RNA sequence: GCGAGAGUGGCGGAAUUGGCAGACGCGCUAGACUUAGGAUCUAGUGGGCAACCGUAGGGGUUCAAGUCCCCUCUCUCGCACCA
């Protein structure tokens, strides 16, 4: 037992006594928090270095963009991740929880054009501010591993990786119609074009198509492997979004003969419907259109193509728009039955998917059905359910499961589901087609016509053509003295010293690639950069560090990156594996997504709405620990929801109560009882168990709730147990349990309670299952499942004994009214149910 | 249309995966202490006067259903003429 007040003095030593205003100083987070943060920094508490004798745990939070100020969303994402990392640390793991900045990108350059401040300065200033804000969070970030992606020491390796990809044919340049954002003045990857109107992910401007020569990464080489999620524990939502995005569909390619020896290959997932093809459709951009269109139809086909090309440049049309098309005048021959079928051009067929041409089976495809109806094309049924179909059809019959092939030559009578494969085999045998797989996934367009990004390390020589920059010449530095003008063109294009160079191969005059890389390149491998920031060895990172820390054990961040960053980084890891840089298949073993904190008005936070919650203000008002606790307590983490400015008061009150509870002594004599001691001990072990399991499961809200419950019990028993051994043990253990959530407060309490070293270096408490179990329990006594009475009984009471006591209860006697129980059910510790 | 997820008090949310619905907190009500309280403490708080009724709605399985099965409705997110 320690004398009240004694430990208060110890606390004062740390703070220099400056905040002792009353006999027992109040909870003053603004004094405690900076003090401890400085201590931790000085003592290197959170430096993560290889410790071979300890299991490692690599926890990672998504790389923030240095937009200027830390947002409450950053806190919401990072605080529970930090708590989880701290918990693992106390569980004996050697934890790495690094932080850095995704520092290239458009906002910096736009600021440069608008406000005449260099992107470098704008970015570094923001980083400096955000670094301080991040530090106020009190997370266990190892700042010595910080990476900033716009620094040459970083992007050198982005360029190096690009060159390695190039060597292996994973990076290539291609002239093709690409999406261009007229506001951002750059091309975008397919993933960065969103929504029905196909707008730019960043600025929401509808994109336009441009025919440009651009660099791509061959992510499609890994399409199949990217569909394999067997090695990772990722949320179902992300898995399904990625599957959906990759969009694998299996079927067949079938070749149709056209006049003048041309062949037209189509992709279909329904080879079982081949006998029902009544026309064919080409996309307006299909190269065969010009060749097969007959003189008679030339004019209208040309007009249609022109209209279609205009259309793609304007807004994308609504889904339910009326289908349009024109006849080419030509006929194709259906290879399965020799029929002549008309070939049309229509914009409901996309050049970008499959072969840009389809076989139309109006009876069994909704789109073809609508088209056939409009243009009076024949509709032939070749699949029917057992009960048949009534003609004329009012809608396409698209079911496969219950369908049977009819009017299909040798396959008539075969179930459609089996027919698919049988027909493919038959086509292959006859040389008419073959099994084929199609993906929705496109190769990743990485060229950006902007300055503030990683220069693509390529040189164009008149003699030698495309020449990669030799490894020894890396990094290709971004020139600092660029001019930022609102012309919409990259300053690199107008920077002679950058543009003109010598060919590394022949020494002749050459020019540099002026496009820079998509910033998603930077974030595709940053988890490896943390191992050895700005590495100066022979590869992008230190292999010894890699061998110890990799792969990332836990990754946390927003679900909005499911089809961008999270696919890209998986692709990078697989490609890097094939380069021999890493020896595993997946970058992040476990992924957890947080939800989004909305404004108090339930709308997305935005400056224009004026509903933004600034974490700095909250930290000033309540302290960092309160903000942390509230962010963990207020919502289901993966859901998020509207901010509640009153709710945070509850968390502040909680921490205040904890402070007073553990530090303010009881006046007068304390008379401990065995019963209360036991109650305290039991609740303590129950709380350890709950807190441990909840933290494991990312149930941060119930983790905090369990601490609140425990503090409620503590305040009940305080008058009788204050200062006893059981009390002290409970107080210290409670402080340990609080440490991941409120690290500063826990540290202060720990030191005042006489704890050794840092609370954060203590082992996580263990619970004793025997002490968790209640001895006396209240069970409910039911009749036919309805609660009639309650009974307090020993937890291990025999069923017979319970039955005897339950049946003897007055309320039960009355309710039974002399009826005899037919059956009784006893669930120990829960209920006793009498069935009559 | 396809895919994923969700519907529980006035609000945020709990409920050992079939076993006392509403833990914990916000808010609210009453009281205490106060010159004062938007501070703090104590008590209460799903509905109904009651028996009872209550987890989006309807049916089912079971001694027992928020939880399992079938149908319907609503909402959120992602993709979208993907052949």
């Amino acid at each position: 037992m320690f004398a009240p007040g004694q430990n208060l003095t110890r606390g004062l030593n740390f703070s220099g006594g400056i905040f002792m205003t009353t006999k027992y100083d109040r909870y003053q987070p603004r004094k405690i928090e900076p003090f401890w943060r400085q201590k931790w920094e000085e003592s290197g508490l959170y430096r993560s270095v290889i410790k071979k004798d300890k299991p490692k745990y690599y926890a990672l939070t998504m790389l923030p963009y240095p937009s200027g100020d830390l947002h409450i969303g950053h806190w919401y994402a990072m605080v529970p991740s930090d708590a989880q990392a701290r918990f693992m640390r106390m569980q004996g793991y050697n934890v790495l929880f690094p932080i850095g900045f995704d520092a290239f990108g458009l906002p910096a350059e736009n600021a440069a054009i608008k406000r005449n401040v260099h992107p470098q300065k704008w970015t570094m200033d923001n980083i400096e501010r955000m670094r301080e804000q991040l530090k106020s969070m009190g997370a266990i970030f190892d700042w010595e591993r910080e990476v900033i992606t716009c620094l040459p020491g970083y992007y050198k390796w982005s360029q190096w990786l690009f060159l390695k990809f190039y060597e292996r044919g994973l990076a290539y340049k291609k002239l093709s119609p690409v999406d261009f954002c007229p506001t951002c003045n750059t091309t975008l990857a397919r993933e960065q074009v969103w929504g029905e109107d196909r707008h730019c992910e960043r600025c929401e401007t509808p994109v336009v198509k441009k025919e440009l020569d651009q660099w791509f990464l061959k992510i499609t080489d890994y399409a199949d492997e990217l569909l394999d999620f067997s090695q990772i524990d990722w949320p179902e939502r992300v898995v399904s979004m990625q599957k959906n995005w990759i969009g694998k569909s299996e079927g067949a390619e079938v070749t149709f003969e056209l006049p003048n020896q041309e062949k037209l290959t189509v992709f279909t997932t329904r080879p079982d419907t081949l006998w029902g093809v009544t026309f064919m459709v080409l996309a307006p951009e299909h190269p065969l259109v010009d060749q097969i269109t007959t003189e008679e139809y030339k004019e209208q086909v040309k007009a249609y193509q022109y209209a279609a090309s205009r259309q793609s440049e304007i807004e994308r049309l609504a889904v339910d728009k009326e289908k349009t098309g024109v006849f080419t005048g030509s006929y194709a021959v259906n290879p399965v039955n020799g029929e002549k079928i008309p070939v049309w051009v229509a914009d409901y067929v996309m050049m970008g998917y499959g072969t840009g041409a389809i076989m139309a089976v109006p009876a069994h495809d909704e789109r073809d059905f609508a088209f056939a109806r409009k243009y009076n094309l024949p509709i032939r049924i070749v699949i029917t359910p057992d009960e048949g179909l009534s003609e004329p059809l009012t809608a396409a019959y698209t079911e496969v499961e219950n369908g049977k092939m009819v009017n299909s030559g040798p396959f008539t009578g075969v179930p459609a589901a089996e027919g698919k494969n049988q027909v493919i085999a038959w086509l292959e045998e006859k040389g008419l087609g073959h099994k084929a797989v199609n993906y929705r996934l496109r190769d990743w367009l990485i060229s950006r016509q902007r300055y503030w990004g990683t220069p693509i390390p390529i040189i164009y020589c008149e003699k030698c053509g495309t020449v990669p920059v030799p490894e020894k010449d890396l990094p290709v530095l971004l020139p600092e003295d660029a001019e930022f003008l609102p012309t919409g063109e990259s300053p690199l294009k107008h920077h002679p010293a950058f543009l003109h160079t010598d060919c590394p191969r022949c020494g002749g005059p050459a020019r540099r690639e002026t496009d820079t890389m998509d910033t998603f390149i930077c974030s595709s491998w940053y988890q490896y950069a943390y191992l050895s920031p700005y590495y100066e060895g022979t590869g992008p990172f230190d292999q010894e560090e890699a061998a110890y820390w990799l792969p990332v054990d836990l990754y946390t961040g927003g679900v909005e990156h499911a089809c961008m960053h999270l696919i890209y980084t998986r692709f990078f890891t697989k490609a890097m594996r094939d380069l021999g840089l890493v020896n595993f298949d997946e970058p992040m073993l476990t992924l957890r997504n947080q939800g989004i904190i909305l404004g108090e008005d339930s709308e997305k936070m935005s400056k224009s709405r004026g509903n933004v919650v600034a974490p700095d203000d909250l930290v000033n008002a309540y302290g960092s620990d309160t903000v942390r606790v509230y962010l963990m307590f207020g919502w289901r983490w993966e859901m998020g929801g509207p901010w509640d400015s009153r709710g945070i008061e509850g968390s502040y009150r909680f921490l205040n109560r904890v402070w007073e509870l553990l530090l303010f002594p009881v006046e007068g004599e304390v008379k401990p009882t065995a019963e209360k001691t036991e109650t305290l001990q039991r609740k303590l072990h129950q709380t350890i168990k709950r807190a441990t399991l909840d933290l494991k499961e990312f149930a941060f809200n119930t983790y905090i709730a369990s601490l609140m419950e425990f503090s409620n019990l503590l305040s009940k028993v305080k008058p009788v147990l204050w200062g006893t051994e059981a009390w002290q043990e409970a107080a210290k253990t409670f402080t340990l349990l609080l440490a991941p959530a409120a690290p500063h407060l826990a540290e202060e309490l720990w030191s005042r309670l006489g704890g050794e070293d840092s609370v954060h270096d203590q082992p996580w408490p263990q619970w004793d299952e025997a002490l968790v179990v209640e001895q006396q329990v209240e069970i409910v006594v039911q009749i036919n499942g309805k609660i009639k009475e309650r009974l307090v009984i020993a937890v291990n009471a025999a069923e017979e004994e319970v039955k005897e006591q339950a049946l003897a209860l007055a309320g039960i006697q009355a309710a039974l009214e002399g009826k005899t129980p037919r059956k009784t059910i006893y669930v120990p510790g829960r209920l006793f149910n009498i069935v009559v």
Side-chain angles (χ1 to χ4, degrees):
Chain A
M1 198 188 293
F2 60 88
Q6 179 190 319
N7 295 286
L8 296 179
T9 319
R10 185 158 180 232
L12 291 178
N13 288 340
F14 284 96
S15 58
I18 45 169
F19 56 93
M20 177 95 170
T21 51
T22 58
K23 186 175 175 194
Y24 304 113
D25 57 319
R26 297 188 54 78
Y27 173 48
Q28 293 187 66
R30 270 164 301 186
K31 299 283 168 57
I32 296 171
E33 293 180 352
F35 170 78
W36 283 115
R37 281 201 294 271
Q38 199 190 330
K39 272 258 170 187
W40 297 333
E41 201 172 326
E42 284 165 9
S43 65
L45 186 68
Y46 299 128
R47 275 292 287 133
S48 302
V49 295
I50 295 176
K51 288 178 191 142
K52 290 252 163 71
D53 56 323
K54 275 190 166 188
K56 66 92 185 182
Y57 189 74
Y58 187 173
L60 185 64
T61 182
M62 283 184 185
L63 188 68
Y65 179 79
S67 52
D69 277 295
L70 212 57
H71 188 261
I72 195 73
H74 289 119
W75 276 71
Y76 188 63
M78 293 175 183
V79 161
S81 309
D82 175 59
Q84 168 78 22
R86 288 174 171 280
F87 165 67
M88 292 304 284
R89 196 171 180 280
M90 291 174 82
Q91 293 235 317
Y93 288 88
N94 188 21
V95 172
L96 171 61
F97 188 51
I99 190 74
F101 297 94
D102 188 17
F104 271 138
L106 273 180
E109 193 170 345
N110 290 341
I113 294 165
K114 217 164 138 187
R115 295 205 291 268
N116 199 29
V117 49
H118 195 280
Q120 171 93 18
K121 181 173 166 37
W122 185 87
T123 304
M124 295 311 277
D125 285 353
N126 283 353
I127 287 174
E128 208 166 306
R129 185 155 70 251
M130 287 177 78
R131 200 187 276 132
E132 289 318 303
Q133 293 172 323
L134 280 163
K135 284 185 176 174
S136 79
M137 201 182 278
I140 60 170
F141 296 129
D142 177 358
W143 286 98
E144 294 194 33
R145 290 178 182 270
E146 178 196 75
V147 295
I148 298 173
T149 61
C150 67
L151 298 182
Y154 188 93
Y155 68 71
K156 169 186 173 180
W157 295 112
S158 299
Q159 292 173 337
W160 186 88
L161 286 164
F162 175 89
L163 291 176
K164 293 290 163 193
F165 285 12
Y166 180 74
E167 278 170 27
R168 290 181 71 93
L170 286 174
Y172 66 92
K173 201 177 194 194
K174 181 176 75 172
L175 181 70
S176 65
V178 294
D179 296 311
F180 185 89
C181 172
T183 301
C184 297
N185 281 312
T186 183
T187 52
L188 301 171
R190 175 67 190 86
E191 289 78 18
Q192 286 153 9
V193 181
W194 287 8
E196 233 171 82
D197 60 347
R198 297 181 46 77
H199 63 257
C200 167
E201 165 251 337
R202 180 175 296 284
C203 69
E204 301 191 351
T205 312
V207 300
V208 296
K209 283 277 181 208
K210 280 198 177 183
E211 190 83 4
L212 290 170
D213 207 14
Q214 301 278 283
W215 284 96
F216 291 85
L217 295 189
K218 221 160 181 234
I219 191 170
T220 52
D221 266 14
Y222 291 88
D224 258 316
E225 208 193 326
L226 287 167
L227 281 168
D228 176 8
F229 297 88
S230 62
Q231 295 181 62
I232 48 181
D233 170 21
W234 282 25
E236 188 51 42
R237 186 152 60 129
V238 174
V239 169
S240 95
M241 280 167 77
Q242 290 202 351
K243 280 186 183 164
N244 194 326
W245 187 260
I246 295 164
K248 180 178 184 171
S249 53
E250 293 175 272
E253 278 190 1
V254 187
T255 303
F256 288 65
E257 301 272 346
L258 286 172
N260 46 27
Q261 316 303 320
E262 291 288 351
K263 288 182 192 301
L264 176 59
T265 300
V266 299
F267 174 74
T268 177
T269 55
R270 295 293 305 274
D272 55 308
T273 63
L274 259 166
W275 281 262
V277 177
T278 56
F279 58 101
M280 318 248 341
V281 185
L282 299 179
E285 309 85 5
H286 198 286
L288 280 178
V289 173
D290 288 345
Q291 298 174 44
I292 64 163
T293 303
T294 58
E295 216 39 62
E296 193 185 341
Y297 293 94
K298 274 244 146 74
E299 204 169 313
Q300 47 177 296
V301 168
K302 279 263 173 272
Y304 187 79
Q305 283 180 307
Y306 178 73
S309 72
R310 291 292 302 160
Q311 224 162 40
S312 66
E313 281 189 21
I314 319 165
E315 255 191 34
R316 179 78 172 209
L317 296 119
V319 179
D320 50 358
K321 80 154 188 177
E322 181 118 347
K323 293 203 171 7
T324 59
V326 287
F327 180 44
T328 61
S330 280
Y331 291 83
V333 177
N334 186 339
V336 303
N337 57 12
E339 273 182 33
K340 278 182 77 182
I341 47 177
V343 180
W344 286 63
V345 173
D347 67 356
Y348 81 92
V349 172
M350 310 288 141
M351 196 55 223
Y353 187 81
T355 61
I358 62 156
M359 56 179 230
V361 187
H364 307 295
D365 181 281
E366 284 172 29
R367 296 149 300 173
D368 299 344
F369 184 82
F371 194 79
R373 274 289 201 72
K374 180 163 177 192
Y375 294 103
N376 281 318
L377 293 159
I379 298 171
R380 184 190 304 162
I381 295 172
V382 291
I383 307 285
T384 73
D386 288 340
E387 64 274 20
L389 292 168
S390 56
E391 288 190 81
L393 287 177
T394 51
Y397 176 74
T398 57
E399 273 186 56
V400 180
E401 289 310 308
N402 305 313
K404 202 172 66 202
M405 293 172 73
V406 293
N407 301 323
S408 297
F411 292 94
T412 297
V414 175
E418 292 168 35
K420 279 192 180 186
N421 289 325
Q422 289 185 21
V423 171
I424 291 172
W426 183 81
L427 289 169
E428 284 176 348
E429 195 184 309
K430 304 229 161 196
L432 302 172
H434 55 89
K435 188 176 166 70
V437 178
N438 241 291
Y439 298 93
R440 223 182 63 104
L441 184 71
R442 296 275 90 91
D443 277 339
W444 176 11
L445 193 170
I446 61 157
S447 301
R448 298 291 178 272
Q449 294 72 49
R450 300 293 302 227
Y451 163 82
W452 192 234
T454 305
I456 295 174
I458 289 288
I459 289 168
Y460 302 105
C461 168
E462 276 170 39
K463 270 193 238 151
C464 313
T466 302
V467 181
V469 172
E471 214 176 302
K472 65 173 173 50
D473 294 341
L474 294 183
V476 175
L477 286 171
L478 206 51
E480 282 176 32
D481 56 346
E483 265 197 281
F484 302 97
L485 301 167
T487 57
E489 277 194 294
S490 169
L492 294 179
K493 272 194 155 166
H494 304 284
H495 192 287
F498 178 83
L499 187 63
H500 301 295
T501 186
D502 299 331
C503 171
R505 210 165 276 170
C506 70
R511 56 182 184 81
R512 285 189 191 280
E513 169 67 64
T514 55
D515 283 353
T516 53
M517 295 184 208
D518 182 359
T519 54
F520 277 113
I521 297 278
C522 312
S523 55
S524 292
W525 70 279
Y526 76 106
Q527 66 270 32
Y528 306 123
Y530 283 138
L531 302 172
S532 48
Y534 320 119
Y535 194 51
E536 290 180 352
T538 53
F541 51 86
D542 182 327
Q543 285 295 334
E544 196 187 332
E545 294 275 336
Y548 181 75
W549 293 109
L550 295 176
V552 172
D553 294 283
L554 173 68
Y555 196 35
T556 55
V559 73
E560 66 274 14
H561 286 111
C563 296
M564 299 192 288
H565 165 62
L566 289 171
I567 285 197
Y568 296 147
T569 193
R570 289 182 69 214
F571 158 60
F572 252 66
T573 292
K574 291 169 194 301
M576 286 167 77
R577 174 203 59 202
D578 292 345
L579 289 168
L581 291 168
V582 296
N583 58 5
F584 44 83
D585 303 321
E586 296 285 353
M588 295 102 178
L589 301 179
T590 301
L591 173 72
R592 292 291 178 267
N593 304 119
Q594 79 278 358
I596 297 170
I597 296 296
L598 302 171
E600 212 152 8
D601 54 2
S602 297
E603 299 287 336
K604 193 170 182 283
M605 281 189 198
S606 72
K607 278 181 194 145
S608 57
R609 276 205 186 82
N611 60 353
V612 174
V613 174
D616 283 3
D617 296 348
L618 298 170
V619 171
N620 284 332
Y622 302 104
S624 168
D625 284 338
T626 294
V627 182
R628 292 175 59 104
V629 166
Y630 182 53
L631 288 172
M632 282 190 263
F633 178 65
W635 305 262
R636 278 158 73 172
W637 190 60
E638 67 281 11
M639 293 289 192
W643 179 257
D644 179 358
S645 56
R646 283 179 306 193
I648 193 170
E649 302 270 356
S651 298
Y652 186 57
R653 280 199 284 265
F654 166 59
L655 295 185
N656 264 295
R657 274 198 298 267
V658 168
W659 177 271
E660 294 174 13
L661 194 54
L662 299 191
L663 298 179
F664 289 15
V666 168
E667 306 287 343
E669 203 186 340
V670 165
K671 290 177 182 154
T673 67
E675 190 212 335
K676 282 281 191 295
T677 303
E678 203 181 298
T679 305
L680 175 62
Q681 193 183 43
R682 186 157 49 241
K683 188 71 177 177
L684 176 64
H685 283 259
Q686 287 171 345
T687 304
I688 296 170
K689 184 177 181 180
R690 275 189 65 185
T692 306
L693 298 179
D694 285 349
L695 278 170
K696 274 204 173 106
E697 284 165 25
F698 279 72
F700 302 106
N701 54 345
T702 50
Y703 153 63
I704 301 292
S706 74
L707 298 181
M708 288 175 167
E709 272 187 55
F710 189 63
S711 85
N712 289 344
L713 180 88
L714 277 177
S715 60
K716 273 207 190 78
V717 301
K718 185 174 178 180
V720 286
L721 296 181
W722 166 259
T724 63
E725 213 174 295
W727 173 269
Q728 276 183 282
E729 192 207 329
K732 277 192 158 188
T733 308
F734 180 62
T735 306
L736 295 174
L737 297 177
L738 185 67
H744 311 88
L745 172 60
E747 190 76 300
E748 179 74 17
L749 291 173
W750 183 254
S751 96
R752 293 193 183 205
L753 292 174
E756 297 286 317
D757 306 320
S758 169
V759 71
H760 304 297
D761 273 339
Q762 306 306 313
W764 187 253
Q766 305 281 315
W767 76 90
D768 180 342
E769 193 63 43
L771 294 175
V772 167
V773 181
E774 303 274 350
Q775 294 309 302
Q776 292 287 119
V777 285
E778 187 188 69
I779 64 166
V780 293
V781 182
Q782 305 176 322
I783 292 178
N784 290 341
K786 303 218 160 163
I787 297 159
K788 298 291 176 191
E789 279 277 5
R790 279 155 203 282
L791 187 62
V792 177
I793 202 151
V795 72
N796 53 0
E799 181 163 2
E800 273 310 304
E801 192 190 336
V802 178
K803 187 174 180 178
E804 201 175 302
Q805 289 198 40
L807 288 172
L809 292 165
I812 295 299
Q813 287 291 322
L816 281 175
E817 293 167 331
K819 280 178 259 178
T820 33
R822 197 155 53 89
K823 183 178 164 189
T824 59
I825 292 125
Y826 176 49
V827 183
R830 300 245 164 232
L831 56 80
F832 185 79
N833 190 14
I834 302 161
V835 187
V836 294

